[in-house]
Amino acid sequence: MQIHDLPYPDPGVPDARSGPRFLWWLFRNQLGGQLKSLAWGLLHFASVASLPFCVGVAVQAAVDRSGGRLALAGGLMALACVGNAVGDTFLHRSAVTNWITAAARVQQLLGRKAAVLGSVLTRRVAAGEVVAVSTGDVEKIGWFVEALSRFTAAAVTVVAVTVGLLVYQPALGVVVAAGLPVLALAVLPLLPKATRRADVQREKAGRATELASDTVAGLRVLRGIGGEDLFLDRYRRASQEVRHAAVRSARMWSLIAAVQVLLPGLLLITVVWYGVQLARDGRIAVGELVTVYSSVMLLTYPLRHFEEIAMAYSFSRPSARRAARVLSLERATDTAGTRAAETPAGDLYDPETGLCAPSGLLTAVVCGDPDAAGRLAERLGGHAAQKGTSVLLGGVPLDELPLDSARTAVLVQDKDPVLLSGTLGQLLDVPASGAVEPRAALEAAQCQDVLAALVQGSLGAEDPMDARITERGRSLSGGQRQRLALARSLVTDPEVLVLDEPTSAVDSHTEARIAQGLRGLRSGRTTVVFTSSPLLLDRADRVVFLHEGTVVAVGGHRELVRTEPRYRAVVTRETEQETASAAGLRADGPGTDMVPHGLAAELEELEEIEETA
Protein backbone atom coordinates (compact mmCIF):
# COMPACT_ATOMS: atom_id res chain seq x y z
CA MET A 1 0.00 0.00 0.00
CA GLN A 2 1.35 3.39 -1.07
CA ILE A 3 0.27 6.77 0.26
CA HIS A 4 -1.38 7.77 -3.01
CA ASP A 5 -3.54 4.60 -2.82
CA LEU A 6 -5.17 5.65 0.47
CA PRO A 7 -7.81 5.20 1.78
CA TYR A 8 -7.89 1.42 2.05
CA PRO A 9 -10.72 -0.27 0.16
CA ASP A 10 -11.12 -2.42 3.27
CA PRO A 11 -9.05 -1.70 6.41
CA GLY A 12 -9.78 -5.19 7.70
CA VAL A 13 -11.10 -6.62 10.97
CA PRO A 14 -8.77 -5.63 13.82
CA ASP A 15 -7.68 -7.84 16.68
CA ALA A 16 -8.93 -5.59 19.48
CA ARG A 17 -8.53 -8.04 22.37
CA SER A 18 -5.65 -5.98 23.80
CA GLY A 19 -3.25 -3.20 22.90
CA PRO A 20 -0.24 -5.46 22.05
CA ARG A 21 -2.45 -7.75 19.95
CA PHE A 22 -3.73 -4.73 18.04
CA LEU A 23 -0.17 -3.54 17.38
CA TRP A 24 0.84 -7.00 16.18
CA TRP A 25 -2.24 -7.11 13.89
CA LEU A 26 -1.22 -3.78 12.36
CA PHE A 27 2.32 -5.04 11.79
CA ARG A 28 1.11 -8.23 10.10
CA ASN A 29 -1.19 -6.27 7.81
CA GLN A 30 1.79 -4.19 6.68
CA LEU A 31 4.16 -7.10 6.20
CA GLY A 32 5.10 -6.14 2.63
CA GLY A 33 5.96 -2.58 3.61
CA GLN A 34 7.80 -3.77 6.72
CA LEU A 35 9.97 -6.18 4.71
CA LYS A 36 10.77 -3.43 2.24
CA SER A 37 11.76 -1.11 5.07
CA LEU A 38 13.84 -3.89 6.63
CA ALA A 39 15.72 -4.47 3.36
CA TRP A 40 16.56 -0.80 2.91
CA GLY A 41 17.49 -0.60 6.59
CA LEU A 42 19.91 -3.48 6.26
CA LEU A 43 21.54 -1.83 3.24
CA HIS A 44 21.84 1.46 5.14
CA PHE A 45 23.21 0.01 8.38
CA ALA A 46 25.50 -2.44 6.57
CA SER A 47 26.98 0.42 4.58
CA VAL A 48 27.54 2.41 7.76
CA ALA A 49 29.08 -0.61 9.50
CA SER A 50 31.47 -1.29 6.60
CA LEU A 51 33.04 2.16 6.78
CA PRO A 52 35.35 1.27 9.73
CA PHE A 53 36.71 -1.71 7.78
CA CYS A 54 37.45 0.58 4.81
CA VAL A 55 39.15 3.08 7.10
CA GLY A 56 41.19 0.32 8.75
CA VAL A 57 42.34 -1.02 5.37
CA ALA A 58 43.30 2.50 4.27
CA VAL A 59 45.28 3.19 7.45
CA GLN A 60 47.09 -0.12 7.25
CA ALA A 61 47.79 0.47 3.54
CA ALA A 62 49.31 3.85 4.40
CA VAL A 63 51.46 2.26 7.12
CA ASP A 64 52.61 -0.44 4.72
CA ARG A 65 52.99 2.08 1.88
CA SER A 66 50.77 -0.02 -0.40
CA GLY A 67 49.18 2.11 -3.13
CA GLY A 68 47.07 -0.75 -4.49
CA ARG A 69 45.41 -1.50 -1.18
CA LEU A 70 44.91 2.23 -0.58
CA ALA A 71 43.06 2.53 -3.91
CA LEU A 72 41.02 -0.55 -3.02
CA ALA A 73 40.11 0.99 0.32
CA GLY A 74 39.05 4.21 -1.43
CA GLY A 75 36.84 2.30 -3.87
CA LEU A 76 35.23 0.30 -1.08
CA MET A 77 34.63 3.50 0.90
CA ALA A 78 32.96 5.16 -2.12
CA LEU A 79 30.77 2.09 -2.59
CA ALA A 80 29.83 2.13 1.11
CA CYS A 81 28.93 5.84 0.90
CA VAL A 82 26.67 5.22 -2.11
CA GLY A 83 24.99 2.31 -0.30
CA ASN A 84 24.59 4.51 2.77
CA ALA A 85 22.96 7.32 0.80
CA VAL A 86 20.63 5.06 -1.20
CA GLY A 87 19.70 2.94 1.80
CA ASP A 88 19.04 5.93 4.06
CA THR A 89 16.90 7.67 1.42
CA PHE A 90 14.67 4.71 0.69
CA LEU A 91 14.59 3.61 4.33
CA HIS A 92 13.17 6.99 5.27
CA ARG A 93 10.72 6.83 2.37
CA SER A 94 9.45 3.35 3.25
CA ALA A 95 9.37 4.11 6.98
CA VAL A 96 7.25 7.23 6.50
CA THR A 97 4.97 5.26 4.18
CA ASN A 98 4.53 2.60 6.87
CA TRP A 99 3.83 5.27 9.48
CA ILE A 100 1.21 7.10 7.42
CA THR A 101 -0.51 3.98 6.11
CA ALA A 102 -0.71 2.48 9.62
CA ALA A 103 -2.17 5.71 11.00
CA ALA A 104 -4.60 5.90 8.07
CA ARG A 105 -5.72 2.31 8.70
CA VAL A 106 -6.42 3.07 12.35
CA GLN A 107 -8.31 6.25 11.46
CA GLN A 108 -10.43 4.37 8.93
CA LEU A 109 -11.21 1.70 11.51
CA LEU A 110 -12.19 4.36 14.07
CA GLY A 111 -14.29 6.21 11.50
CA ARG A 112 -16.17 3.06 10.50
CA LYS A 113 -16.69 2.08 14.11
CA ALA A 114 -18.11 5.54 14.88
CA ALA A 115 -20.42 5.30 11.87
CA VAL A 116 -21.64 1.86 12.92
CA LEU A 117 -22.19 2.71 16.60
CA GLY A 118 -23.62 6.19 16.05
CA SER A 119 -24.66 7.97 19.23
CA VAL A 120 -24.04 4.78 21.24
CA LEU A 121 -20.28 5.43 20.94
CA THR A 122 -20.20 8.54 23.13
CA ARG A 123 -22.41 6.82 25.69
CA ARG A 124 -19.85 4.07 26.16
CA VAL A 125 -16.67 6.10 25.74
CA ALA A 126 -16.09 9.73 26.72
CA ALA A 127 -15.99 12.13 23.78
CA GLY A 128 -12.58 13.46 24.88
CA GLU A 129 -11.11 9.95 24.79
CA VAL A 130 -12.46 9.39 21.27
CA VAL A 131 -10.82 12.66 20.18
CA ALA A 132 -7.52 11.67 21.84
CA VAL A 133 -7.54 8.26 20.13
CA SER A 134 -8.32 9.65 16.66
CA THR A 135 -5.61 12.35 16.85
CA GLY A 136 -2.53 11.90 19.06
CA ASP A 137 -2.89 8.16 19.71
CA VAL A 138 -3.08 7.36 16.00
CA GLU A 139 0.30 9.02 15.40
CA LYS A 140 1.96 7.15 18.26
CA ILE A 141 0.60 3.80 17.09
CA GLY A 142 1.95 4.52 13.60
CA TRP A 143 5.31 5.49 15.10
CA PHE A 144 5.79 2.10 16.78
CA VAL A 145 4.65 0.13 13.72
CA GLU A 146 7.08 2.11 11.57
CA ALA A 147 10.00 1.92 14.02
CA LEU A 148 9.79 -1.85 14.40
CA SER A 149 11.37 -2.64 11.02
CA ARG A 150 14.16 -0.07 11.52
CA PHE A 151 14.89 -1.53 14.94
CA THR A 152 15.08 -5.04 13.45
CA ALA A 153 17.55 -3.86 10.83
CA ALA A 154 19.64 -2.13 13.52
CA ALA A 155 19.60 -5.24 15.74
CA VAL A 156 20.69 -7.49 12.87
CA THR A 157 23.51 -5.06 12.05
CA VAL A 158 24.74 -4.95 15.66
CA VAL A 159 24.81 -8.76 15.85
CA ALA A 160 26.58 -9.05 12.48
CA VAL A 161 29.23 -6.46 13.40
CA THR A 162 29.85 -8.14 16.74
CA VAL A 163 30.35 -11.53 15.08
CA GLY A 164 32.59 -9.92 12.46
CA LEU A 165 34.77 -8.32 15.14
CA LEU A 166 35.10 -11.65 16.93
CA VAL A 167 36.37 -13.20 13.73
CA TYR A 168 38.48 -10.20 12.63
CA GLN A 169 40.17 -9.45 15.97
CA PRO A 170 39.18 -11.93 18.70
CA ALA A 171 40.98 -10.13 21.53
CA LEU A 172 39.08 -6.86 21.10
CA GLY A 173 36.00 -8.63 19.71
CA VAL A 174 35.44 -10.36 23.04
CA VAL A 175 35.41 -6.99 24.83
CA VAL A 176 32.88 -5.61 22.34
CA ALA A 177 30.73 -8.76 22.48
CA ALA A 178 30.62 -8.56 26.28
CA GLY A 179 29.86 -4.83 26.34
CA LEU A 180 27.15 -4.55 23.67
CA PRO A 181 24.50 -6.66 25.52
CA VAL A 182 25.08 -4.45 28.55
CA LEU A 183 24.47 -1.37 26.39
CA ALA A 184 21.33 -2.84 24.86
CA LEU A 185 19.83 -4.09 28.13
CA ALA A 186 20.97 -1.37 30.54
CA VAL A 187 17.84 0.71 30.05
CA LEU A 188 15.42 -2.18 30.67
CA PRO A 189 15.20 -1.62 34.46
CA LEU A 190 14.26 2.01 33.79
CA LEU A 191 11.52 1.27 31.23
CA PRO A 192 8.71 0.18 33.62
CA LYS A 193 8.96 3.42 35.57
CA ALA A 194 9.19 5.45 32.36
CA THR A 195 6.17 3.62 30.98
CA ARG A 196 4.12 4.29 34.12
CA ARG A 197 4.96 7.98 33.95
CA ALA A 198 4.03 8.02 30.26
CA ASP A 199 0.70 6.35 31.10
CA VAL A 200 -0.01 8.97 33.76
CA GLN A 201 0.80 11.72 31.29
CA ARG A 202 -1.53 10.16 28.69
CA GLU A 203 -4.34 9.81 31.21
CA LYS A 204 -4.07 13.41 32.38
CA ALA A 205 -3.81 14.67 28.80
CA GLY A 206 -6.99 12.75 27.92
CA ARG A 207 -8.81 14.30 30.87
CA ALA A 208 -7.67 17.77 29.87
CA THR A 209 -8.78 17.19 26.27
CA GLU A 210 -12.18 15.97 27.43
CA LEU A 211 -12.58 18.95 29.75
CA ALA A 212 -11.60 21.35 26.97
CA SER A 213 -14.04 19.73 24.54
CA ASP A 214 -16.90 19.89 27.04
CA THR A 215 -16.09 23.51 27.91
CA VAL A 216 -16.01 24.67 24.28
CA ALA A 217 -19.22 22.76 23.50
CA GLY A 218 -21.03 24.45 26.39
CA LEU A 219 -19.38 27.86 26.11
CA ARG A 220 -22.60 29.67 25.22
CA VAL A 221 -24.38 28.24 28.26
CA LEU A 222 -21.40 28.92 30.52
CA ARG A 223 -21.34 32.55 29.47
CA GLY A 224 -25.05 32.82 30.12
CA ILE A 225 -24.66 31.69 33.74
CA GLY A 226 -21.28 33.32 34.27
CA GLY A 227 -19.46 30.02 34.70
CA GLU A 228 -16.72 30.39 32.11
CA ASP A 229 -14.16 31.51 34.74
CA LEU A 230 -14.91 28.45 36.86
CA PHE A 231 -14.33 26.07 33.96
CA LEU A 232 -11.29 28.06 32.84
CA ASP A 233 -9.76 27.50 36.28
CA ARG A 234 -10.56 23.79 36.05
CA TYR A 235 -8.89 23.53 32.67
CA ARG A 236 -5.90 25.57 33.90
CA ARG A 237 -5.43 23.12 36.79
CA ALA A 238 -5.81 20.15 34.45
CA SER A 239 -3.27 21.58 32.01
CA GLN A 240 -0.81 22.19 34.84
CA GLU A 241 -1.21 18.57 35.92
CA VAL A 242 -0.42 17.53 32.35
CA ARG A 243 2.65 19.78 32.36
CA HIS A 244 3.95 18.32 35.64
CA ALA A 245 3.33 14.77 34.40
CA ALA A 246 5.11 15.57 31.11
CA VAL A 247 8.13 16.97 32.97
CA ARG A 248 8.33 13.86 35.19
CA SER A 249 8.11 11.65 32.12
CA ALA A 250 10.73 13.70 30.28
CA ARG A 251 13.13 13.41 33.22
CA MET A 252 12.97 9.65 33.07
CA TRP A 253 13.47 9.56 29.30
CA SER A 254 16.37 12.00 29.58
CA LEU A 255 17.94 9.63 32.11
CA ILE A 256 17.53 6.76 29.64
CA ALA A 257 19.10 8.91 26.91
CA ALA A 258 21.99 9.78 29.22
CA VAL A 259 22.62 6.09 29.94
CA GLN A 260 22.59 5.45 26.20
CA VAL A 261 25.33 8.06 25.78
CA LEU A 262 27.40 7.22 28.89
CA LEU A 263 27.71 3.46 28.48
CA PRO A 264 28.84 3.49 24.82
CA GLY A 265 31.41 6.11 25.79
CA LEU A 266 32.73 3.86 28.56
CA LEU A 267 32.88 0.93 26.15
CA LEU A 268 34.75 3.04 23.62
CA ILE A 269 37.29 4.13 26.25
CA THR A 270 37.75 0.51 27.33
CA VAL A 271 38.33 -0.67 23.76
CA VAL A 272 40.85 2.09 23.06
CA TRP A 273 42.76 1.50 26.29
CA TYR A 274 42.91 -2.26 25.80
CA GLY A 275 43.67 -1.90 22.09
CA VAL A 276 46.60 0.41 22.77
CA GLN A 277 48.02 -2.16 25.17
CA LEU A 278 47.68 -4.88 22.54
CA ALA A 279 49.25 -2.65 19.86
CA ARG A 280 52.22 -1.90 22.14
CA ASP A 281 52.72 -5.62 22.63
CA GLY A 282 52.55 -6.14 18.89
CA ARG A 283 49.53 -8.43 19.14
CA ILE A 284 47.43 -6.31 16.78
CA ALA A 285 48.23 -3.96 13.93
CA VAL A 286 47.43 -0.25 13.94
CA GLY A 287 44.88 -0.71 11.15
CA GLU A 288 43.08 -3.40 13.14
CA LEU A 289 42.89 -1.09 16.17
CA VAL A 290 41.45 1.72 14.01
CA THR A 291 38.92 -0.70 12.51
CA VAL A 292 37.69 -1.92 15.90
CA TYR A 293 37.61 1.60 17.33
CA SER A 294 35.65 2.95 14.35
CA SER A 295 33.24 -0.01 14.48
CA VAL A 296 32.44 0.59 18.16
CA MET A 297 32.03 4.30 17.56
CA LEU A 298 29.63 3.79 14.65
CA LEU A 299 27.68 1.11 16.52
CA THR A 300 26.31 3.85 18.76
CA TYR A 301 24.16 4.90 15.78
CA PRO A 302 22.18 1.64 15.39
CA LEU A 303 22.12 1.27 19.17
CA ARG A 304 20.05 4.47 19.38
CA HIS A 305 17.23 2.54 17.76
CA PHE A 306 17.05 0.37 20.87
CA GLU A 307 16.13 3.48 22.83
CA GLU A 308 13.71 4.62 20.13
CA ILE A 309 11.82 1.31 20.01
CA ALA A 310 11.55 1.36 23.81
CA MET A 311 10.11 4.87 23.72
CA ALA A 312 7.81 4.06 20.80
CA TYR A 313 6.40 1.00 22.55
CA SER A 314 5.99 2.81 25.87
CA PHE A 315 4.06 5.64 24.22
CA SER A 316 2.09 3.47 21.80
CA ARG A 317 1.01 0.75 24.23
CA PRO A 318 -1.52 2.89 26.14
CA SER A 319 -2.57 4.46 22.84
CA ALA A 320 -3.14 1.03 21.32
CA ARG A 321 -5.02 -0.06 24.43
CA ARG A 322 -7.40 2.91 24.10
CA ALA A 323 -7.84 2.32 20.37
CA ALA A 324 -8.53 -1.37 20.98
CA ARG A 325 -11.10 -0.46 23.60
CA VAL A 326 -13.00 1.70 21.11
CA LEU A 327 -12.66 -0.81 18.28
CA SER A 328 -13.86 -3.67 20.49
CA LEU A 329 -17.25 -2.00 21.02
CA GLU A 330 -20.04 -3.78 19.18
CA ARG A 331 -23.61 -2.96 18.24
CA ALA A 332 -26.38 -4.73 20.05
CA THR A 333 -27.60 -6.02 16.69
CA ASP A 334 -25.76 -7.57 13.76
CA THR A 335 -24.37 -4.94 11.38
CA ALA A 336 -24.52 -7.24 8.35
CA GLY A 337 -28.05 -8.46 9.08
CA THR A 338 -29.57 -11.85 8.34
CA ARG A 339 -32.00 -10.61 5.68
CA ALA A 340 -31.32 -9.42 2.17
CA ALA A 341 -30.98 -5.66 1.70
CA GLU A 342 -34.38 -4.02 1.23
CA THR A 343 -36.24 -0.86 2.21
CA PRO A 344 -39.48 -1.98 3.85
CA ALA A 345 -42.55 0.21 4.17
CA GLY A 346 -45.66 0.11 6.33
CA ASP A 347 -46.55 0.61 9.98
CA LEU A 348 -43.73 1.06 12.48
CA TYR A 349 -44.36 -1.11 15.54
CA ASP A 350 -42.38 -1.66 18.72
CA PRO A 351 -43.50 -4.89 20.46
CA GLU A 352 -41.63 -3.99 23.64
CA THR A 353 -43.66 -0.86 24.39
CA GLY A 354 -46.69 -1.44 22.18
CA LEU A 355 -46.02 1.77 20.22
CA CYS A 356 -47.48 1.78 16.71
CA ALA A 357 -46.94 4.55 14.16
CA PRO A 358 -49.32 4.00 11.22
CA SER A 359 -47.90 4.46 7.76
CA GLY A 360 -48.29 7.92 6.27
CA LEU A 361 -49.37 9.63 9.52
CA LEU A 362 -47.76 12.07 11.95
CA THR A 363 -47.55 10.32 15.31
CA ALA A 364 -46.55 12.23 18.43
CA VAL A 365 -45.15 10.30 21.38
CA VAL A 366 -45.24 11.63 24.93
CA CYS A 367 -42.92 10.00 27.45
CA GLY A 368 -42.34 11.40 30.91
CA ASP A 369 -38.72 10.16 31.02
CA PRO A 370 -36.50 11.99 28.46
CA ASP A 371 -33.78 9.30 28.67
CA ALA A 372 -36.33 6.56 28.01
CA ALA A 373 -37.64 8.57 25.07
CA GLY A 374 -34.13 8.83 23.64
CA ARG A 375 -33.55 5.08 23.97
CA LEU A 376 -36.91 4.33 22.33
CA ALA A 377 -36.11 6.71 19.46
CA GLU A 378 -32.85 4.87 18.83
CA ARG A 379 -34.59 1.51 18.96
CA LEU A 380 -37.19 2.68 16.42
CA GLY A 381 -34.31 3.38 14.04
CA GLY A 382 -32.70 -0.02 14.54
CA HIS A 383 -29.97 1.42 16.78
CA ALA A 384 -30.83 -0.40 20.00
CA ALA A 385 -28.25 0.05 22.75
CA GLN A 386 -28.84 -3.51 23.97
CA LYS A 387 -30.35 -6.68 22.62
CA GLY A 388 -34.11 -7.09 22.80
CA THR A 389 -37.23 -7.48 20.71
CA SER A 390 -36.76 -5.91 17.30
CA VAL A 391 -38.88 -3.05 16.02
CA LEU A 392 -40.99 -4.00 12.98
CA LEU A 393 -41.42 -1.87 9.86
CA GLY A 394 -44.11 -3.29 7.64
CA GLY A 395 -43.71 -6.55 9.55
CA VAL A 396 -39.97 -6.72 8.82
CA PRO A 397 -37.65 -6.75 11.89
CA LEU A 398 -35.20 -3.84 11.53
CA ASP A 399 -32.54 -5.69 13.53
CA GLU A 400 -32.40 -8.38 10.83
CA LEU A 401 -31.75 -5.90 8.02
CA PRO A 402 -28.25 -4.75 7.02
CA LEU A 403 -27.37 -1.54 8.83
CA ASP A 404 -27.41 0.55 5.63
CA SER A 405 -30.91 -0.68 4.74
CA ALA A 406 -32.25 0.04 8.23
CA ARG A 407 -30.80 3.55 8.17
CA THR A 408 -32.22 4.18 4.70
CA ALA A 409 -35.69 3.14 5.83
CA VAL A 410 -35.70 4.98 9.18
CA LEU A 411 -33.87 8.20 9.96
CA VAL A 412 -33.50 9.18 13.61
CA GLN A 413 -32.64 12.74 14.63
CA ASP A 414 -31.66 12.82 18.29
CA LYS A 415 -32.25 15.70 20.64
CA ASP A 416 -28.69 17.03 20.25
CA PRO A 417 -27.94 16.89 16.51
CA VAL A 418 -24.49 17.93 15.32
CA LEU A 419 -23.92 20.46 12.53
CA LEU A 420 -20.68 19.92 10.63
CA SER A 421 -18.62 22.93 9.58
CA GLY A 422 -18.86 24.05 5.96
CA THR A 423 -21.36 25.87 3.77
CA LEU A 424 -25.10 25.53 4.16
CA GLY A 425 -25.21 23.81 0.77
CA GLN A 426 -22.72 21.21 2.00
CA LEU A 427 -24.75 20.69 5.18
CA LEU A 428 -27.84 19.88 3.12
CA ASP A 429 -25.94 17.78 0.58
CA VAL A 430 -26.96 14.46 2.14
CA PRO A 431 -28.22 11.17 0.67
CA ALA A 432 -31.85 11.88 -0.18
CA SER A 433 -34.78 10.70 -2.29
CA GLY A 434 -34.73 13.95 -4.29
CA ALA A 435 -38.42 14.59 -3.63
CA VAL A 436 -37.75 17.46 -1.18
CA GLU A 437 -35.76 20.50 -2.30
CA PRO A 438 -33.42 22.10 0.24
CA ARG A 439 -35.25 25.45 0.09
CA ALA A 440 -38.59 23.73 0.74
CA ALA A 441 -37.09 21.97 3.77
CA LEU A 442 -35.60 25.24 5.06
CA GLU A 443 -38.97 26.95 4.67
CA ALA A 444 -40.82 24.16 6.47
CA ALA A 445 -38.28 24.34 9.33
CA GLN A 446 -38.77 28.13 9.53
CA CYS A 447 -35.11 28.93 8.84
CA GLN A 448 -35.62 32.37 7.27
CA ASP A 449 -33.94 34.26 10.11
CA VAL A 450 -31.20 31.62 10.28
CA LEU A 451 -30.37 32.18 6.60
CA ALA A 452 -30.20 35.93 7.15
CA ALA A 453 -27.86 35.47 10.12
CA LEU A 454 -25.60 33.13 8.15
CA VAL A 455 -25.36 35.51 5.18
CA GLN A 456 -24.60 38.41 7.49
CA GLY A 457 -21.84 36.44 9.24
CA SER A 458 -20.23 35.16 6.00
CA LEU A 459 -18.16 37.65 4.00
CA GLY A 460 -18.98 37.69 0.29
CA ALA A 461 -21.82 35.15 0.56
CA GLU A 462 -24.81 36.50 -1.35
CA ASP A 463 -26.52 33.12 -1.75
CA PRO A 464 -27.48 31.61 1.64
CA MET A 465 -26.34 28.23 0.35
CA ASP A 466 -22.78 29.62 0.19
CA ALA A 467 -22.91 30.92 3.77
CA ARG A 468 -20.52 29.15 6.13
CA ILE A 469 -21.45 27.34 9.31
CA THR A 470 -18.89 27.23 12.09
CA GLU A 471 -17.89 23.99 13.79
CA ARG A 472 -20.96 22.41 15.44
CA GLY A 473 -22.84 25.63 14.58
CA ARG A 474 -21.52 27.34 17.71
CA SER A 475 -22.18 30.82 16.27
CA LEU A 476 -25.91 30.01 16.16
CA SER A 477 -28.42 29.81 18.97
CA GLY A 478 -29.83 26.50 20.13
CA GLY A 479 -33.11 27.09 18.32
CA GLN A 480 -31.34 27.99 15.08
CA ARG A 481 -29.22 24.84 15.24
CA GLN A 482 -32.34 22.76 15.84
CA ARG A 483 -34.10 24.22 12.82
CA LEU A 484 -31.12 23.67 10.51
CA ALA A 485 -30.85 20.07 11.73
CA LEU A 486 -34.57 19.58 11.12
CA ALA A 487 -34.21 20.96 7.58
CA ARG A 488 -31.35 18.53 6.94
CA SER A 489 -33.53 15.63 8.10
CA LEU A 490 -36.45 16.77 5.96
CA VAL A 491 -34.24 16.92 2.86
CA THR A 492 -33.39 13.22 3.18
CA ASP A 493 -37.12 12.37 2.92
CA PRO A 494 -36.85 8.89 4.48
CA GLU A 495 -39.68 6.39 4.57
CA VAL A 496 -39.88 6.93 8.35
CA LEU A 497 -38.56 10.02 10.15
CA VAL A 498 -38.12 9.89 13.94
CA LEU A 499 -37.55 13.25 15.67
CA ASP A 500 -36.58 13.51 19.34
CA GLU A 501 -37.60 16.91 20.76
CA PRO A 502 -36.92 18.80 17.49
CA THR A 503 -38.28 22.16 18.79
CA SER A 504 -37.33 22.22 22.48
CA ALA A 505 -35.28 25.44 22.00
CA VAL A 506 -37.75 27.25 19.71
CA ASP A 507 -40.28 29.92 20.75
CA SER A 508 -44.01 29.14 20.67
CA HIS A 509 -45.00 31.07 17.54
CA THR A 510 -42.11 29.63 15.48
CA GLU A 511 -42.91 26.19 16.86
CA ALA A 512 -46.51 26.48 15.65
CA ARG A 513 -45.35 27.32 12.13
CA ILE A 514 -42.82 24.46 12.22
CA ALA A 515 -45.60 22.07 13.23
CA GLN A 516 -47.68 23.22 10.29
CA GLY A 517 -44.73 23.04 7.85
CA LEU A 518 -43.69 19.59 9.11
CA ARG A 519 -47.20 18.23 8.68
CA GLY A 520 -47.47 19.64 5.15
CA LEU A 521 -44.03 18.54 3.91
CA ARG A 522 -44.27 15.03 5.38
CA SER A 523 -47.80 14.43 4.13
CA GLY A 524 -48.15 10.78 3.14
CA ARG A 525 -44.90 9.82 4.91
CA THR A 526 -44.53 8.23 8.34
CA THR A 527 -43.28 10.67 10.97
CA VAL A 528 -42.77 10.03 14.69
CA VAL A 529 -42.10 13.00 16.97
CA PHE A 530 -41.08 12.61 20.62
CA THR A 531 -42.27 15.79 22.28
CA SER A 532 -44.28 17.26 25.12
CA SER A 533 -45.06 20.49 23.26
CA PRO A 534 -48.85 21.11 23.06
CA LEU A 535 -48.36 22.86 19.70
CA LEU A 536 -46.81 19.80 18.05
CA LEU A 537 -49.13 17.42 19.86
CA ASP A 538 -52.21 19.30 18.68
CA ARG A 539 -51.03 19.06 15.04
CA ALA A 540 -50.37 15.29 15.18
CA ASP A 541 -52.72 12.78 13.57
CA ARG A 542 -52.53 10.70 16.71
CA VAL A 543 -50.83 10.96 20.10
CA VAL A 544 -49.36 8.01 21.97
CA PHE A 545 -48.70 8.31 25.71
CA LEU A 546 -46.14 6.03 27.35
CA HIS A 547 -45.96 5.50 31.09
CA GLU A 548 -43.20 3.41 32.66
CA GLY A 549 -42.17 2.10 29.26
CA THR A 550 -45.62 0.97 28.07
CA VAL A 551 -48.30 2.57 25.90
CA VAL A 552 -51.24 3.44 28.18
CA ALA A 553 -53.28 5.82 26.02
CA VAL A 554 -53.78 6.69 22.36
CA GLY A 555 -55.90 9.49 20.93
CA GLY A 556 -55.98 13.18 20.13
CA HIS A 557 -54.10 15.75 22.21
CA ARG A 558 -57.17 17.57 23.57
CA GLU A 559 -58.96 14.32 24.28
CA LEU A 560 -56.03 12.94 26.26
CA VAL A 561 -55.62 16.20 28.17
CA ARG A 562 -59.19 15.91 29.45
CA THR A 563 -59.29 12.15 30.04
CA GLU A 564 -55.78 11.07 31.07
CA PRO A 565 -54.40 12.75 34.25
CA ARG A 566 -50.90 11.34 33.83
CA TYR A 567 -50.73 12.65 30.27
CA ARG A 568 -51.96 16.06 31.38
CA ALA A 569 -49.36 16.17 34.17
CA VAL A 570 -46.54 15.61 31.67
CA VAL A 571 -47.80 17.99 28.97
CA THR A 572 -48.96 20.89 31.17
CA ARG A 573 -46.23 20.45 33.86
CA GLU A 574 -49.08 20.05 36.35
CA THR A 575 -48.11 19.70 40.00
CA GLU A 576 -49.19 16.77 42.17
CA GLN A 577 -51.61 19.05 44.07
CA GLU A 578 -53.27 20.17 40.83
CA THR A 579 -53.53 16.57 39.65
CA ALA A 580 -55.21 15.54 42.92
CA SER A 581 -57.57 18.52 42.67
CA ALA A 582 -58.57 17.57 39.14
CA ALA A 583 -59.16 13.99 40.21
CA GLY A 584 -61.42 15.26 43.02
CA LEU A 585 -63.46 17.35 40.60
CA ARG A 586 -64.05 14.35 38.35
CA ALA A 587 -65.01 12.26 41.36
CA ASP A 588 -67.96 14.61 42.09
CA GLY A 589 -70.02 12.62 39.68
CA PRO A 590 -70.44 11.61 36.08
CA GLY A 591 -71.13 14.33 33.61
CA THR A 592 -68.99 16.88 35.42
CA ASP A 593 -67.07 18.75 32.73
CA MET A 594 -64.80 20.93 34.79
CA VAL A 595 -61.28 21.79 33.67
CA PRO A 596 -58.43 22.88 35.99
CA HIS A 597 -57.56 26.57 35.76
CA GLY A 598 -54.02 25.90 34.48
CA LEU A 599 -55.29 23.58 31.75
CA ALA A 600 -57.91 26.08 30.61
CA ALA A 601 -55.27 28.78 30.33
CA GLU A 602 -53.03 26.40 28.34
CA LEU A 603 -55.86 25.62 25.90
CA GLU A 604 -56.66 29.31 25.45
CA GLU A 605 -52.99 30.08 24.73
CA LEU A 606 -52.87 27.20 22.27
CA GLU A 607 -55.87 28.56 20.35
CA GLU A 608 -54.33 32.06 20.24
CA ILE A 609 -51.02 30.76 18.85
CA GLU A 610 -52.86 28.66 16.26
CA GLU A 611 -54.79 31.71 15.07
CA THR A 612 -51.58 33.74 14.81
CA ALA A 613 -49.74 30.98 12.95
Side-chain angles (χ1 to χ4, degrees), residues 66-78:
S66 173
R69 281 189 294 164
L70 186 60
L72 175 63
L76 292 176
M77 188 173 295

Side-chain angles (χ1 to χ4, degrees), residues 4 295 341 420 427 430 449 496:
H4 58 76
S295 298
L420 301 179
L427 177 71
V430 292
D449 64 315
V496 179

Side-chain angles (χ1 to χ4, degrees), residues 355-358 361-367 376 380 497 499 502 518-519 526-546 551 553-557 560 567 571:
L355 170 64
C356 180
L361 298 182
L362 173 59
T363 302
V365 181
V366 177
C367 183
L376 176 56
L380 291 179
L497 177 60
L499 304 171
L518 177 64
R519 183 182 178 88
T526 307
T527 307
V528 180
V529 182
F530 286 83
T531 182
S532 58
S533 167
L535 293 168
L536 286 176
L537 294 170
D538 198 51
R539 293 282 184 178
D541 295 310
R542 65 200 302 266
V543 178
V544 179
F545 175 56
L546 280 81
V551 173
V554 180
H557 167 59
L560 292 178
Y567 175 85
V571 172

